[in-house]
Amino acid sequence: MAATQTIDALHGTLKSYLNADQANQVKRAYFFAEQAHYGQRRRSGEPYVTHPLAVAGILADMHMDHQSLMAAMLHDVIEDTGIEKAAIGEQFGPTVAELVDGVSKLTLMEFDTLEEKQAENFQKMALAMARDIRVILVKLADRLHNMRTLGVLSNDKARRIARETLDIYAPIAMRLGMNNVRMEFEDLGFGALYPMRSRRIETAIRAARGNRKELVENMRQQIQETLEQEGHQVQVRGREKHLYSIYQKMKVKHKSFAEIMDIYAFRIIVDSVDTCYRVLGCVHSMYKPVPGSFKDYIAIPKANGYQSLHTVMMGMHGVPIEIQIRTQAMEDMANNGIAAHWLYKSDEHTTNGSHTRARDWVQGLLEMQQQAGNSLEFIDSVKMDLFPDEIYVFTPKGRILELPRRATAVDFAYAVHTDVGNACVACRINRRLAPLSQPLESGQTVEILTSSGARPNPAWLDYAVTAKARSNIHHFLKRQTREDSVSLGRSLLDKALASHGQELDDLSDVKLAEFLAAQHYDSMEDLLIDIARGNRLPAFTAQQLAAPESVEDEALSAHSGEAQPVAIKGTEGFMLSYAKCCHPIPGDPILGYLSSEKGVVVHRDQCKNLREHAERLVALRWDDEVQGDYPVNLRIEVENRRGMIAVIATRINSMGVNIEKISTEHKDHQFTYVTLEMMVQNRVHLARIMRRLRSITHVLKVTRIKN
Ligand code: MN
């Protein structure tokens, strides 16, 4: 497992399984990295490029494809040398550039603030961030080399990296079935975190091994020779548990070191599946099998695709002998998991997408599972890991939230808290302001900006995807609409009552209750909502409510003239809207029309669309404190000259006014009509703008479009 020392040595390995062109491309990536990292050194003093070379070497030992190896060579180039992704893309193609970029992003992820319960989310996040599973494989190899060379780092940093390796990277390796990598992560991580314990166990293992060395070797040879005499091509190996698993067994299962070690373990690698069973028969005739200990994981593979025959026999002095029998392919799959999949498919076209490979791997496991008919749990988790339907994003404090794919900052805000969602006005994604509608991606940090007066926007429903966000927005809008309706209905009715010299508050409860009952209303609010929605005319209702007074009063009210107009403040909300036909602005005389769908629609009083609705009109006026910007349409007649529209637009913008729409229409060879929609505050504001426009040379006429 020694890291490859030189590019020439690596090239030798590559030629054994890649074609000449692919091997040369890897070499070219090496020289690119060497130049990019020129002058940089590792903590150990070696030139920096030895690191990417070693990372590529690790992947070459797993027989990974040439693009993974190129990405390994270049994996620190973006981060450490300032060379851009695009430059890598030009040199080595978009796939390699994507891989390098993916590894860089993973490297940038901060695991510092890691709480233990979050570790699993971090693992999922790392997998979700890598659209190409090879990104993970390169990252694992990178981490493996860093772990192997951890000794030169300061204690604190080494411990932090070791912790992260045990919490994040070892479990990821396990999820992907890469047991060799996982075990090395665990032993190196254990050694860095608990140097004393690890050294003590190591010493104990060495002592135990020394005591039994001869005995084990004799047994190994005896098995090997016996099997060869029977005509089997086999390799018999002694097998030892790795440090960290011994430690875990002692800690979790409270077993003594002696108990764990007091066993002889061998692995027999054979040439075919058939041979596995023949060899099993042979060893069973050499030692007495322990009843019930035989396991056929070839016919019934383990959930992660592991295949092998297991048996336990009784050796001398009653010490058990554990034997595993498997083919080389099974051995590779047990050691390298998903990476072994590249090995066995390396003859095929490497253009085969990485995710297709990953899918194949999962598919393969799935088929074995179905034959075996046991739990699908592992498969489900692997499938979810590789093709997640979720994204994982950070809160500013480092908490991880899981959201469905295509979720936006609005979903995020509601996931944090309903109040945050309701008061949300803007967001920062990775510290930059971003639209609320932008779909989030795994690994991003999202911050929600809130404002106390803010309310949910109906437009959010276009892009909020979570049930929580959507139901909260709906709920708020419904409630808001109701509140708006009630208050609008109240003010309409109050104004109408005023023309009878009365106020709503003056009416006695008894009288109101009688009236509501007679008109079949459950509550006063329902009546007010009906008025606001235009289902009842306020003047008529006021008359009914005021009518049963004395005759004189009635006579008085009949002659009191026009109803008091309702004042419009521009902040009424959902139950008031402005007509698109005549575009009323503050200062214009206005009239309202009660629509059952839209509440009160404000028109200019001369608008001809009002004529059809004479019986549903309501008197309105602008409040002195009216707020907001209102759309208005202008028609400008100009001479046909180059650049006229730009002159007009610049003049308008210079007054701080926004143009919403602009269109032109050729009148004849001499004149053009320019139609503009812009936002103004009121008539005075509009008049000022029109004056400025008229002062432009070659502008003949400026008129407000009346419809
Ligand atoms: Mn690196």
Side-chain angles (χ1 to χ4, degrees):
M1 272 299 228
T4 309
Q5 293 299 310
T6 65
I7 181 63
D8 288 333
L10 177 66
H11 199 242
T13 312
L14 298 185
K15 279 190 295 190
S16 72
Y17 75 97
L18 294 178
N19 68 37
D21 177 52
Q22 292 169 336
N24 283 332
Q25 286 190 59
V26 177
K27 211 168 171 178
R28 204 159 60 80
Y30 169 81
F31 289 119
F32 187 94
E34 189 181 44
Q35 230 174 28
H37 290 293
Y38 182 77
Q40 294 176 348
R41 290 191 177 271
R42 295 208 92 204
R43 207 58 78 88
S44 62
E46 295 167 291
Y48 194 86
V49 73
T50 56
H51 166 62
L53 178 63
V55 174
I58 290 169
L59 294 171
D61 288 341
M62 299 178 194
H63 286 203
M64 289 296 298
D65 67 301
H66 68 295
Q67 288 176 327
S68 306
L69 297 179
M70 290 162 78
M73 289 292 189
L74 302 166
H75 80 271
D76 280 329
V77 160
I78 293 182
E79 228 358 72
D80 293 349
T81 75
I83 287 173
E84 290 189 5
K85 179 183 169 189
I88 293 175
E90 271 167 38
Q91 282 286 325
F92 302 103
T95 309
V96 173
E98 278 301 328
L99 290 173
V100 173
D101 189 51
V103 178
S104 304
K105 281 191 181 130
L106 270 184
T107 306
L108 281 176
M109 252 173 89
E110 288 284 337
F111 295 107
D112 279 358
T113 55
L114 185 58
E115 292 169 48
E116 209 153 313
K117 60 175 181 182
Q118 289 245 33
E120 200 181 324
N121 281 335
F122 269 96
Q123 295 159 25
K124 288 183 184 167
M125 182 186 252
L127 288 163
M129 276 173 73
R131 259 174 245 125
D132 187 327
I133 195 69
R134 290 177 294 180
V135 166
I136 297 288
L137 301 184
V138 175
K139 183 65 202 168
L140 291 177
D142 174 39
R143 176 50 61 106
L144 189 55
H145 184 241
N146 285 334
M147 286 301 289
R148 286 176 183 172
T149 53
L150 205 55
V152 292
L153 291 181
S154 74
N155 241 348
D156 269 2
K157 193 160 184 207
R159 288 178 60 83
R160 188 183 65 76
I161 292 178
R163 177 88 266 163
E164 191 181 288
T165 302
L166 286 178
D167 285 345
I168 310 293
Y169 290 105
I172 288 179
M174 183 154 86
R175 281 161 187 256
L176 299 178
M178 301 169 71
N179 275 316
N180 278 352
V181 174
R182 174 184 63 96
M183 288 191 293
E184 203 177 343
F185 275 155
E186 287 179 348
D187 283 353
L188 291 169
F190 177 49
L193 270 184
Y194 305 106
M196 300 283 277
R197 283 175 236 189
S198 125
R199 224 168 296 145
R200 216 175 303 138
I201 295 178
E202 208 180 345
T203 313
I205 293 175
R206 209 174 299 131
R209 195 192 290 148
N211 292 340
R212 308 188 310 175
K213 197 175 174 188
E214 229 171 298
L215 190 61
V216 170
E217 178 55 22
N218 284 342
M219 283 172 76
R220 193 198 67 77
Q221 273 184 21
Q222 200 188 340
I223 299 170
Q224 174 100 37
E225 278 162 21
T226 309
L227 292 173
E228 277 170 6
Q229 277 162 21
E230 298 284 326
H232 299 305
Q233 279 283 350
V234 297
Q235 276 179 51
V236 182
R237 300 169 188 166
R239 197 167 59 82
E240 275 176 4
K241 294 208 157 49
H242 73 299
L243 272 183
Y244 190 64
S245 77
I246 293 172
Y247 171 67
Q248 290 286 18
K249 277 216 169 81
M250 291 169 72
K251 203 176 118 181
V252 180
K253 295 194 176 165
H254 303 289
K255 286 195 172 178
S256 75
F257 180 77
E259 274 177 282
I260 296 165
M261 290 300 284
D262 200 9
I263 198 163
Y264 299 114
F266 298 95
R267 180 171 303 152
I268 305 175
I269 306 295
V270 306
D271 54 4
S272 74
V273 175
D274 190 53
T275 315
C276 292
Y277 293 96
R278 291 170 194 272
V279 164
L280 178 77
C282 285
V283 294
H284 275 180
S285 63
M286 294 170 71
Y287 302 95
K288 192 170 181 282
V290 174
S293 68
F294 169 63
K295 300 253 162 43
D296 186 349
Y297 292 120
I298 293 178
I300 303 173
K302 280 195 186 177
N304 61 359
Y306 174 88
Q307 286 187 296
S308 190
L309 297 181
H310 286 191
T311 186
V312 182
M313 298 166 302
M314 212 45 92
M316 281 166 294
H317 314 297
V319 178
I321 305 170
E322 260 184 27
I323 290 192
Q324 302 175 343
I325 306 165
R326 58 178 82 151
T327 65
Q328 185 62 47
M330 293 174 192
E331 167 81 351
D332 290 334
M333 207 57 96
N335 290 336
N336 295 327
I338 194 167
H341 204 76
W342 264 270
L343 175 61
Y344 285 97
K345 295 241 173 166
S346 57
D347 298 339
E348 287 179 19
H349 287 296
T350 39
T351 47
N352 209 0
S354 150
H355 258 72
T356 318
R357 292 281 181 92
R359 231 174 262 279
D360 283 354
W361 181 62
V362 172
Q363 191 58 39
L365 296 187
L366 202 59
E367 275 161 20
M368 281 197 289
Q369 283 271 303
Q370 276 157 355
Q371 285 163 13
N374 54 357
S375 154
L376 291 174
E377 222 170 276
F378 177 87
I379 295 294
D380 280 347
S381 78
V382 169
K383 254 187 1 195
M384 255 159 42
D385 288 345
L386 296 182
F387 317 110
D389 292 322
E390 289 84 27
I391 56 161
Y392 299 87
V393 289
F394 291 104
T395 68
K397 284 185 179 161
R399 189 154 75 96
I400 296 177
L401 292 185
E402 180 186 314
L403 294 168
R405 228 172 228 298
R406 302 210 49 78
T408 61
V410 171
D411 297 297
F412 178 92
Y414 279 102
V416 171
H417 197 280
T418 305
D419 292 343
V420 176
N422 284 337
C424 162
V425 286
C427 71
R428 287 202 186 93
I429 298 177
N430 291 341
R431 295 186 193 86
R432 276 199 206 144
L433 278 174
L436 287 173
S437 58
Q438 184 177 316
L440 302 176
E441 285 174 29
S442 279
Q444 290 176 329
T445 300
V446 184
E447 184 189 348
I448 297 298
L449 308 179
T450 57
S451 153
S452 55
R455 11 156 101 180
N457 184 334
W460 291 354
L461 290 171
D462 292 343
Y463 47 80
V465 299
T466 54
K468 185 172 185 196
R470 297 189 67 84
S471 71
N472 272 303
I473 298 166
H474 276 303
H475 179 72
F476 185 94
L477 293 179
K478 222 161 145 189
R479 203 182 61 210
Q480 199 56 44
T481 311
R482 190 175 164 84
E483 278 171 18
D484 283 348
S485 305
V486 168
S487 83
L488 180 69
R490 179 181 300 276
S491 87
L492 288 169
L493 183 57
D494 242 347
K495 297 298 179 215
L497 278 168
S499 63
H500 298 268
Q502 294 193 6
E503 277 179 41
L504 200 51
D505 290 344
D506 294 342
L507 300 175
S508 74
D509 289 346
V510 180
K511 188 170 177 184
L512 275 177
E514 274 171 16
F515 178 77
L516 291 174
Q519 302 287 325
H520 308 292
Y521 284 107
D522 288 340
S523 71
M524 189 64 195
E525 285 193 352
D526 291 337
L527 169 68
L528 295 174
I529 289 167
D530 244 11
I531 291 174
R533 290 194 178 148
N535 297 332
R536 271 191 91 87
L537 286 177
F540 180 61
T541 311
Q543 216 167 38
Q544 287 176 306
L545 277 168
E549 301 295 322
S550 70
V551 178
E552 287 127 279
D553 276 352
E554 202 183 352
L556 191 75
S557 67
H559 294 286
S560 66
E562 302 276 292
Q564 284 288 314
V566 178
I568 300 297
K569 292 194 180 70
T571 54
E572 281 75 9
F574 300 106
M575 290 316 293
L576 193 120
S577 59
Y578 300 91
K580 299 231 163 40
C581 47
C582 55
H583 289 301
I585 62 174
D588 287 334
I590 46 175
L591 263 179
Y593 150 62
L594 281 163
S595 142
S596 52
E597 289 117 48
K598 292 186 266 180
V600 174
V601 184
V602 183
H603 289 260
R604 291 165 72 183
D605 67 351
Q606 297 302 317
C607 183
K608 52 181 183 269
N609 288 341
L610 281 176
R611 281 177 215 156
E612 319 159 18
H613 306 299
E615 76 289 2
R616 288 183 164 246
L617 295 184
V618 39
L620 299 174
R621 68 175 175 85
W622 298 99
D623 192 271
D624 295 339
E625 315 264 274
V626 66
Q627 292 173 17
D629 287 322
Y630 299 81
V632 71
N633 285 313
L634 289 186
R635 177 137 85 167
I636 308 170
E637 199 176 335
V638 298
E639 283 179 35
N640 289 335
R641 268 170 195 275
R642 200 185 286 256
M644 273 314 288
I645 294 177
V647 172
I648 291 168
T650 311
R651 181 66 62 95
I652 292 171
N653 280 324
S654 75
M655 299 182 72
V657 174
N658 271 342
I659 298 175
E660 303 288 311
K661 276 183 214 150
I662 192 161
S663 64
T664 58
E665 183 196 335
H666 242 53
K667 187 186 169 199
D668 51 39
H669 69 282
Q670 212 182 347
F671 301 108
T672 297
Y673 291 128
V674 180
T675 308
L676 284 173
E677 183 180 315
M678 57 190 172
M679 303 299 286
V680 302
Q681 284 144 23
N682 52 43
R683 277 177 79 103
V684 178
H685 188 204
L686 176 64
R688 203 161 60 226
I689 295 164
M690 289 171 75
R691 243 190 340 265
R692 294 285 309 264
L693 290 175
R694 286 192 189 105
S695 73
I696 300 173
T697 341
H698 311 301
V699 166
L700 280 92
K701 214 171 167 186
V702 181
T703 43
R704 180 174 173 194
I705 298 176
K706 292 227 171 74
N707 190 20

